[in-house]
Amino acid sequence: MTILKRKSLVITALLLVLFASGYSFQKAREERTRKRATPTIGRTILSLNGGLPLRAEGPRYAPGQVLVRFKPSVSTQFVNATLARYDTKKIKRISHLNLYQVRIPDWASVEEMAYALSQNPDVMYAGPNYIARIMVTPNDLLFREQWALNNTGQKIDVPGAPSGKAQADIKATTGWEEAKGSAETVVAIIDSGIDFEHPDLKNKTVSRGRDFANEDWDATDDNGHGTYVAGVAAADTNNDEGIAGVAWNCLILPVKVADKEGIAFYSDLIDGILWAADNGADVINLSLGGDQPDDSLRDALRYAHDKDVVVAAAAGNDNTAVFYPAAYDAYCLAVAATDYNDERTDWSCFGPEVDVAAPGEFVLGTYPTYMTDMTAYLPYAFGSGTSASTPHVAGLAALIKGLKPWLTADEIMDVIRFSSDDVNSGEHSGRDDYIGYGRINMEKALVPIKLSK
Amino acid sequence: MRYRLILCCALIFVVLFALAPPAVGQARPDTESSSFRAGLSFGYLSRTLDLNEEVQDVIPKMTALLASLVLEYEFRPGFSLSAHVGYSSSTFDGLAFRRLPYSLEIDTDSGSIGGILLGAEVEKSVLGGAAFGVDIRGQFFASLGLNKEWKIPGLAVEGSAKGKPIWMKASVGPVLTYRGWEGVTPFLYPRFDYLWGNFELGQTVQDLKGSEKKDIKGKSPFALGLGADFEFSSSLRLRAEAGLHPRPNGIDYSFMVQTLLAL
């Protein structure tokens, strides 16, 4: 209590201005224009794979089949005789390559038959009939706008914005092949609340949350920032509309600490962190901060950390020293921002506390429906700031937590740090104060890494 | 577990049986007393593994090259005991370790892992006629893998993994021989053939440490050996055998060549 009293005295000096003030919402585009161009959006576009995620699982090659490529000079008649000698049956011939898809007898394995055929002097190549799969790509209609998750070099749909550099992303589609998260993993969005009716969020919340700014039990967003952040972290994914969230299947615990002006008192922030840690949060996203240190804020972070809650906090958008609570290095991941070219943004805060970076410029997120002119706009917006970067990291932390619940918060933080791509190695090799260990990489953090001799 | 129990019982049976007096009507002449032979043995095996896991992107497999010195002691004709000491080189494919902080995968690009090979073999004639004979043979081999270290690629800091596979193979079954040819004795060796073991992989990336032990076992517990003993002289013998290990959706195989010289 004494701590809180002290807090109330310094509250006016320590008002937190959400990094929302630094992030610029820009409406994705006018819905009318979009409707004219693609009148079927959200209506008649069919779900791929019956709405189910396409999973890259199962065998690596077709059982009982081998592909055999004969030398061009070998005649069809001779090929047929050769295949018969090996007790194989032709399924298909690809004449351009003199390539045969054959069924092998039950008594032989694919490897044995491929090896046996490859020893034949008339055969150029024999091997398994490998299986290719469509990458795990969600069917959310605006996924193509999410360069941060899958950057193909697409044009960013913001006036004046250039195309990004292909591969300058967090490798979400490959990461999702290994893990899409589980509903048991909860990401607390400690922010300005969320829009509970948003089509990409309404099925993703654990409860109505907690509102410390207005002292009630309904964390409805009256600013827009929290809704935006929540969508980047864990929007409903593969639901045929809107955007994809990093933590595909994880749930959101909304905790409102910032008012409609985007201002949060440290007291509410501390309350919010403690409450989230005590109410089932596995990961906490803090896309906010102030420039003043505070021991109680640090202790609240330590409390959450000691309960094995992973905390991701925005470094700040002022091109200055890292803000608080991100600067409490031992207890949270401080997140800087990179852009669509994998370059650090010139406004991202820096310092030894920066752990990692994530996309933070023109990032598409959810936006409250009741703050959107729904006749003209979709309830989504592009935003910029370390506020946008942080939920990428929180989402990844949630996926790791769901995949490996036995890991401690410290271990998950290390996994995220060390799996990052050192995208500014040309200027600063190794860990540096600008993007820390680098831009996060979901593939390396989640997918088994092949060991080679 | 059930297979291992059956195997132990079978091996005990073979040993007890081997210690019993020679069979009535046994064809082999009892002209020599006990004797030693020594030689070399080379083998290759390729076995599909059962990891008892749901997620398997690649069918897990183990191949191994085996080389050993063999010392055989013949207690009496038709009853011998051999010991093997040597080296094994095992290669694995499709082993994913997902309980480590960073999931790691061992595949054929990970290279082979050396190990010490120890083995024992007991063989006893059971029935014998002029042309056909029945022996019973039991074998046990253990490959005690040596630690192999890899660098973990692609991380922002140095990281390494250290792995050590240990596997065992036990087989027991009747050997059906044809003795009608001079100098060559072809045989069929249908057998219960069980492979099991584990692969332990540790990971160190700065303070991030983890270790995972994965149980492995062969997909098929049965095999059929086809081979022959070649008696080049009274003191030099060569045995060659090919093993077929049927499993669901395919077949695994093994080969063995062994020479023995009387001391």
Side-chain angles (χ1 to χ4, degrees), chain B residues 186-239:
Chain B
F187 63 81
L188 272 178
Y189 178 27
R191 61 186 186 259
F192 184 79
D193 190 294
Y194 191 63
L195 184 142
W196 77 101
N198 62 64
F199 195 129
E200 187 167 11
L201 190 67
Q203 178 181 93
T204 305
V205 183
Q206 294 201 348
D207 291 338
L208 204 54
K209 289 182 173 62
S211 177
E212 181 178 351
K213 189 186 267 191
K214 190 174 280 296
D215 286 335
I216 55 177
K217 68 176 183 181
K219 197 92 173 167
S220 164
F222 298 102
L224 175 65
L226 304 160
D229 286 331
F230 300 89
E231 298 275 353
F232 294 113
S233 70
S234 59
S235 60
L236 180 62
R237 190 182 78 199
L238 182 141
R239 171 175 293 172

Side-chain angles (χ1 to χ4, degrees), chain A residues 2 6 27 44 51 59 61 65 74 78 106 116-117 122 136 159 220 241 246-247 269 286 290 385 415 449 452:
Chain A
T2 52
R6 187 167 64 81
K27 289 299 173 189
T44 58
Y61 49 76
Q65 290 183 21
V74 181
F78 192 83
D106 291 340
L117 282 162
D122 294 317
V136 179
T220 296
E241 67 177 312
V246 175
L269 179 54
L286 293 167
V415 168
I449 300 169
S452 54

Side-chain angles (χ1 to χ4, degrees), chain B residues 114-188:
Chain B
I116 295 166
L117 183 72
L118 300 173
E121 195 171 340
V122 60
E123 186 163 357
K124 172 84 168 67
S125 284
V126 181
L127 293 170
F132 293 97
V134 179
D135 298 351
I136 191 154
R137 186 186 295 165
Q139 296 171 318
F140 175 83
F141 286 94
S143 168
L144 310 173
L146 305 171
N147 262 321
K148 175 161 180 153
E149 192 163 351
W150 295 267
K151 278 192 173 175
I152 302 174
L155 298 184
V157 294
E158 293 276 307
S160 64
K162 215 179 249 188
K164 187 169 81 169
I166 293 175
W167 57 263
M168 281 151 275
K169 189 175 103 68
S171 48
V172 62
V175 184
L176 313 172
T177 57
Y178 176 71
R179 295 167 180 163
W181 295 331
E182 186 72 24
V184 181
T185 309
F187 63 81
L188 272 178

Side-chain angles (χ1 to χ4, degrees), chain A residues 81-100:
Chain A
T82 304
L83 293 178
R85 269 211 314 280
Y86 287 89
D87 202 9
T88 58
K89 288 193 175 68
K90 182 175 80 180
I91 299 172
K92 189 170 79 173
R93 176 177 182 239
I94 301 169
S95 57
H96 284 315
L97 300 173
N98 211 16
L99 181 69
Y100 288 75

Side-chain angles (χ1 to χ4, degrees), chain A residues 55-61 63 106-112 178 400 403-404 406-407 410-412 414-422 430-431 437 444-453, chain B residues 55-59 61 93 96-112 148 150-157 161 201 205-209 247 249-253:
Chain A
R55 291 184 62 96
E57 289 176 352
R60 202 169 49 158
Y61 49 76
D106 291 340
W107 51 262
S109 71
V110 169
E111 295 89 346
E112 289 157 1
E178 185 70 14
I400 298 171
L403 187 66
K404 299 176 180 181
W406 54 86
L407 293 182
D410 276 329
E411 287 173 328
I412 291 174
D414 274 348
V415 168
I416 293 171
R417 285 183 187 116
F418 303 152
S419 58
S420 299
D421 289 333
D422 190 7
R431 206 217 75 85
Y437 288 93
K444 282 193 275 182
L446 297 168
V447 179
I449 300 169
K450 286 177 187 284
L451 297 176
S452 54
K453 54 191 167 188
Chain B
V55 182
Q56 282 182 0
D57 298 330
V58 179
I59 297 167
K61 204 159 197 173
D93 193 15
F97 294 80
R98 288 185 158 87
R99 293 192 66 81
L100 297 170
Y102 287 106
S103 299
L104 297 176
E105 185 175 336
I106 300 275
D107 65 7
T108 49
D109 289 340
S110 309
S112 56
K148 175 161 180 153
W150 295 267
K151 278 192 173 175
I152 302 174
L155 298 184
V157 294
L201 190 67
V205 183
Q206 294 201 348
D207 291 338
L208 204 54
K209 289 182 173 62
R247 59 173 166 81
N249 304 318
I251 196 161
D252 294 334
Y253 46 90

Side-chain angles (χ1 to χ4, degrees), chain A residues 143-296:
Chain A
F143 181 69
R144 63 179 181 273
E145 310 279 3
Q146 292 184 274
W147 66 266
L149 304 184
N150 186 34
N151 194 341
T152 58
Q154 67 265 56
K155 177 107 181 71
I156 297 166
D157 249 333
V158 176
S163 296
K165 184 174 82 179
Q167 303 296 315
D169 55 37
I170 65 169
K171 322 293 172 215
T173 52
T174 326
W176 286 330
E177 287 180 26
E178 185 70 14
K180 296 191 187 72
S182 77
E184 275 79 56
T185 309
V186 174
V187 184
I189 305 294
I190 300 183
D191 211 287
S192 62
I194 73 162
D195 171 8
F196 289 97
E197 301 309 316
H198 194 286
D200 258 351
L201 297 173
K202 63 185 178 188
N203 296 320
K204 297 285 299 215
T205 52
V206 177
S207 65
R208 299 293 291 188
R210 180 81 168 88
D211 180 353
F212 289 99
N214 299 299
E215 278 304 326
D216 60 37
W217 293 86
D218 184 348
T220 296
D221 189 5
D222 50 6
N223 173 274
H225 189 267
T227 299
Y228 170 83
V229 167
V232 175
D236 205 346
T237 305
N238 216 43
N239 63 339
D240 282 322
E241 67 177 312
I243 61 168
V246 175
W248 186 309
N249 289 326
C250 302
L251 294 183
I252 296 164
L253 176 64
V255 184
K256 182 172 170 61
V257 296
D259 63 17
K260 66 180 179 182
E261 305 302 327
I263 290 171
F265 295 105
Y266 270 24
S267 55
D268 292 337
L269 179 54
I270 291 163
D271 251 349
I273 294 168
L274 299 174
W275 186 84
D278 284 340
N279 284 274
D282 298 296
V283 176
I284 289 176
N285 185 93
L286 293 167
S287 287
L288 40 73
D291 59 5
Q292 293 298 312
D294 184 278
D295 289 349
S296 301

